[in-house]
Amino acid sequence: MTIKLPKIIGHRGACGYAPENTIESVQTAADMDVEWVELDVKLTKDDIPIIFHDDTLERTTNGSGLVAETLYEDIQQLEAGSWYADSFAGVKIPTLEEMCEVLVDLNLGLNLEIKPCPGREKETAEVALDHLSRIWDDHERLIISSFSHVSLETAQDMAGGWYRGLLIEGEMPENWKDMADYLDLSIVSIDGNTCTREAIESISDMEYAVLARKVSDSQRARQLYSWGVDAISTDVPDVIKETILTVH
Ligand code: G3P
Ligand code: MG
């Protein structure tokens, strides 16, 4: 299945400018005219899908402990903005549903990364897709991504027609083509800072869309686009946007 990706995807919203994975971060991305955002979803102890990156609460909230051992009613009390800047004090951790409402209002596409806490690979995909199937209509503007093959397999079983993306860290594994074929992917996502032209071309040759992550440098972005990358996921969408405006 061929997907039409935007040139730029805001990573965790626009997390270079606002606390990651929050409504404020997504609003910041929209203010920069970003068309899609990438966000992470995982489950609370009581299986509520929330938009959150880490397995633990310490780095980005005033709480502590494991997300997988914390009830949603306690997650809801946490503050997730001050760690980033005092101006974001009071910002909350959104649920998947709350976030999707905002995305629809802002007319943003979504690359949703299934980010399971260890051991919850299947159920995280199951719950997230179950919620999404009720609240997300535009499947031309939704990707289900993951590093977890189990999460992607679950997504394939539950919603075979939705676009799926495999996240690859570091070098391309030798068997990546078999994995991509088995998981019936549309997108392969690689580290934009370390990937080679050969890797990009080998993905494109298989007719998968290439999504390069972690790119904040405009020179590198220009090089990646010239090598055939379809989309760049970035913390700083405004910087990469300048690249596009000056390419041609
Ligand atoms: O686009 C996927 C990317 O976000 C994966 O890495 O750690 O930022 O979730 P991470
Ligand atoms: Mg992510």
Side-chain angles (χ1 to χ4, degrees), residues 11-12 38 40 53 111 113 115 147 167 189 213 233:
H11 184 225
R12 308 182 199 171
E38 184 269 355
D40 304 291
H53 182 276
N111 178 13
E113 182 184 349
K115 196 73 154 178
F147 287 105
L167 303 175
S189 175
R213 308 189 306 274
S233 177

Side-chain angles (χ1 to χ4, degrees), residues 172-247:
M172 303 293 284
E174 272 186 24
N175 64 342
W176 79 265
K177 288 181 187 170
D178 294 335
M179 286 191 302
D181 184 45
Y182 171 70
L183 293 166
D184 193 16
L185 300 176
S186 298
I187 302 110
V188 176
S189 175
I190 52 180
D191 184 328
N193 293 315
T194 58
C195 67
T196 61
R197 181 175 194 155
E198 288 68 33
I200 292 165
E201 288 175 351
S202 67
I203 298 168
S204 293
D205 286 349
M206 300 295 289
E207 299 193 350
Y208 302 117
V210 186
L211 170 55
R213 308 189 306 274
K214 305 187 187 179
V215 182
S216 306
D217 176 74
S218 56
Q219 294 292 340
R220 179 64 174 173
R222 191 167 291 128
Q223 185 177 50
L224 290 167
Y225 287 129
S226 75
W227 288 351
V229 157
D230 295 282
I232 288 177
S233 177
T234 180
D235 300 353
V236 286
D238 55 337
V239 173
I240 307 303
K241 195 170 160 198
E242 284 303 312
T243 308
I244 295 174
L245 295 175
T246 56
V247 138

